[in-house]
Amino acid sequence: QPKDADAPIKIQSYRYEELSASQRKELLKRPALRTEQVMEICRPILGAVKQRGDAALLELTEKFDRAKLQTPVRLPPFVNDEVMAKIKPEVKVAIDIAYDNIWKFHKAQKTTFGNKRAADVGAAGTVEANEAPEDGVLEVETMPGVVCRRFARPIQSVGLYVPGGSAVLPSTALMLGVPAQVARCPTVVIATPPRPDGSISPEVLYCASKVNASAILCAGGAQAVAAMAYGTETCPKVDKIVGPGNQFVTAAKMLVQNETDAIVSIDMPAGPSEVLVIADSSADPAFVASDLLSQAEHGPDSQVVLVGIALTPAELQAIEDEVDRQARALPRVEVVRQAIDKSVTVIVPDRATALEWSNAYAPEHLILQTISPEELVKLVTNAGSVFVGAWSPESCGDYMSGTNHSLPTAAYAKSYSGVNVGTFEKCITSQALTKQGLRGFGQNVIDLAMCEGLQAHAMAVKIRLDRMA
Ligand code: NAD
């Protein structure tokens, strides 16, 4: 039902103390999604691409994206003078700065697996020639002569989904491509739906070129996920599929990760974007409203939450007035209206209760507009990314600061991290024992193996101990 355009654009508000335990639980829930229904739509799409490869992919791209292509895959070089001329100079500058900052922050993550931490992260885009392959090795001698190691290796083939149905998202190409480049994944496929004329946006092509992608799969939705999961005549099969997308993309990722034919993992189950803003009396109502709306404009399924710490009715009213005023001036006001209808304000008595609410909700984005926001960060147990203080709007993290914008939604921040360099690596462990090491605990291994009834395990040690005797 289209709403009356004059109706106020207002988030429903509640007072924490007046809510029962079951009401609180209800308000912490995300709006329901039609997951099963969407999976039923995706199953035949996955099956078609699995069986008929490129032919099915091209048919589905024509059906869903209205683009008639000769081949679904483009290989580098992705840009030439003609493409670059289509990118506005200020947008190119913005992409370059974003790339450099994302590179710096992600390059510094590379060695966190190991004992060393890089002091100098190096120039953006460069992989230092002297970066030893052993960089990042964690080594512990657990007993004399028993050396255990853990080392990271890049996932050999990854697929990055860059949404493109309703908006052009070069920023997502950077957020996924840079960590894959830092991790040095040898094969990087960027999948994105083509425009009806079959082209890919020049900004996305530029980002694909900057992150040194191996191929661009000009396809979207479940069919793109299927092509990367199973491989086709032209699309390489990948080991992991990463990146946000609409409900068809998410459902397809969830389906293929459970398929033994595909043997593919995914970054995380993704849902509609969301933000939780904690504000106290010190917050500027216009800032708070702008942060809530920048999330609400993502889509009608987005959810925004305002947690007000001891706000007076007049302070809350000031924020509500700003939400209404700013929303009406937005081109996407109808999308915002639908998102605001699903959103919630809770007025809590104090900072501790605000954090309790936020941690229980586990927001994708958490914005702190309070006195001493750094003190609150210490109390955060669940969140995708935190925006600390009045001068840190979410938009900066979405594009420019260097942190990743591909983050867990739908309360998955309780157990998942956002995309990072580790997303594109896996850790391998090793152990090397000397004779002394084996002699040290050989009998203990035998005793445990016998306790578990595994004689061959015991024998593999005993045969060596006998040889030493
Ligand atoms: P998209 O690329 O995710 O999806 C487009 C594809 O959806 C099409 O190619 C088509 O194959 C498929 N599709 C559309 N309608 C279909 C139907 N009826 N049946 C089967 N398949 C169908 O682009 P989008 O739709 O614009 O969605 C982008 C999503 O990505 C949004 O939900 C946005 O919030 C999300 N996003 C999230 C983040 C994040 O970090 N969380 C970042 C950027 C974008």
Side-chain angles (χ1 to χ4, degrees):
Q1 281 293 78
K3 277 216 162 183
D4 178 1
D6 294 332
I9 301 176
K10 184 178 179 303
I11 304 174
Q12 180 70 42
S13 67
Y14 304 87
R15 296 195 72 82
Y16 181 84
E17 296 95 331
E18 291 165 8
L19 295 168
S20 67
S22 66
Q23 282 172 317
R24 286 175 194 164
K25 212 171 147 192
E26 212 42 49
L27 289 178
L28 286 165
K29 278 191 189 161
R30 300 332 195 247
L33 291 175
R34 311 168 294 141
T35 315
E36 268 311 310
Q37 221 176 319
V38 175
M39 284 190 173
E40 284 317 308
I41 296 171
C42 289
R43 278 196 181 92
I45 297 177
L46 297 179
V49 176
K50 184 157 121 182
Q51 277 162 22
R52 298 192 295 113
D54 282 345
L57 196 51
L58 293 172
E59 282 165 27
L60 290 159
T61 301
E62 189 171 355
K63 177 174 175 190
F64 290 116
D65 301 300
R66 305 185 311 285
K68 211 168 159 50
L69 303 177
Q70 297 303 316
T71 168
V73 169
R74 289 174 66 158
L75 297 173
F78 303 121
V79 292
N80 52 26
D81 291 347
E82 199 189 328
V83 171
M84 293 309 294
K86 290 182 189 150
I87 302 175
K88 289 185 182 158
E90 67 271 24
V91 173
K92 182 185 172 296
V93 169
I95 288 175
D96 290 342
I97 297 173
Y99 176 88
D100 287 357
N101 286 345
I102 300 164
W103 178 275
K104 281 183 210 159
F105 187 58
H106 288 76
K107 183 70 205 302
Q109 296 169 18
K110 181 94 198 297
T111 46
T112 49
F113 282 121
N115 298 331
K116 291 182 287 176
R117 180 178 275 276
D120 174 12
V121 296
T126 60
V127 176
E128 294 81 11
N130 63 356
E131 197 180 278
E134 262 65 51
D135 201 11
V137 174
L138 180 146
E139 183 177 297
V140 177
E141 188 166 13
T142 53
M143 284 174 85
V146 182
V147 173
C148 298
R149 294 194 185 92
R150 189 181 70 167
F151 46 92
R153 290 284 185 269
I155 296 177
Q156 298 294 295
S157 180
V158 294
L160 315 180
Y161 189 86
V162 175
S166 52
V168 181
L169 294 167
S171 59
T172 303
L174 292 181
M175 292 294 177
L176 306 176
V178 173
Q181 190 180 19
V182 169
R184 297 200 229 175
C185 298
T187 299
V188 176
V189 179
I190 291 185
T192 196
R195 300 185 288 195
D197 67 358
S199 66
I200 300 291
S201 90
E203 294 83 5
V204 170
L205 290 175
Y206 180 49
C207 293
S209 168
K210 284 196 77 116
V211 304
N212 205 15
S214 329
I216 296 181
L217 173 65
C218 306
Q223 59 274 23
V225 172
M228 295 192 287
Y230 311 123
T232 68
E233 297 90 323
T234 57
C235 179
K237 187 217 171 318
V238 304
D239 302 315
K240 186 168 188 177
I241 300 174
V242 176
N246 64 13
Q247 47 190 344
F248 303 102
V249 174
T250 300
K253 280 168 70 183
M254 290 170 86
L255 286 169
V256 293
Q257 77 161 339
N258 288 324
E259 250 193 84
T260 47
D261 276 359
I263 312 290
V264 70
S265 67
I266 65 169
D267 48 351
M268 60 193 129
S273 215
E274 58 201 31
V275 70
L276 186 146
V277 180
I278 298 181
D280 63 13
S281 305
S282 73
D284 183 320
F287 288 11
V288 174
S290 70
D291 285 341
L292 293 168
L293 292 172
S294 70
Q295 195 59 46
E297 78 170 356
H298 266 299
D301 290 332
S302 295
Q303 192 180 41
V304 304
V305 180
L306 170 63
V307 177
I309 302 173
L311 294 184
T312 63
E315 286 164 345
L316 176 59
Q317 188 62 50
I319 294 174
E320 289 177 341
D321 289 348
E322 277 292 335
V323 167
D324 186 71
R325 190 183 65 76
Q326 293 183 26
R328 282 175 197 283
L330 293 172
R332 291 166 73 94
V333 59
E334 279 319 308
V335 169
V336 166
R337 205 183 270 282
Q338 291 175 61
I340 293 289
D341 276 349
K342 300 186 179 74
S343 299
V344 173
T345 293
V346 187
I347 303 299
V348 297
D350 49 40
R351 286 159 71 93
T353 315
L355 261 295
E356 180 193 308
W357 189 277
S358 176
N359 286 330
Y361 183 80
E364 179 190 15
H365 306 99
L366 170 61
I367 299 184
L368 304 175
Q369 297 201 38
T370 63
I371 294 166
S372 316
E374 291 286 359
E375 289 301 309
L376 286 188
V377 177
K378 295 178 191 157
L379 305 176
V380 174
T381 52
N382 299 320
S385 195
V386 187
F387 299 79
V388 186
W391 306 107
S392 315
E394 189 201 306
S395 323
C396 295
D398 286 346
Y399 292 115
M400 215 48 75
S401 307
T403 58
N404 210 288
H405 81 196
S406 200
L407 299 166
T409 55
Y412 278 108
K414 288 182 181 178
S415 57
Y416 279 88
S417 311
V419 165
N420 60 84
V421 174
T423 307
F424 297 97
E425 294 176 329
K426 70 260 178 183
C427 280
I428 301 173
T429 59
S430 72
Q431 62 234 269
L433 280 71
T434 61
K435 273 188 185 173
Q436 182 202 14
L438 184 60
R439 204 179 286 124
F441 61 35
Q443 188 55 46
N444 307 110
V445 176
I446 293 172
D447 292 343
L448 261 187
M450 293 307 286
C451 160
E452 295 192 352
L454 298 175
Q455 291 229 6
H457 280 63
M459 183 57 72
V461 174
K462 188 168 181 308
I463 205 166
R464 288 175 169 82
L465 292 178
D466 289 351
R467 187 71 58 84
M468 286 181 220

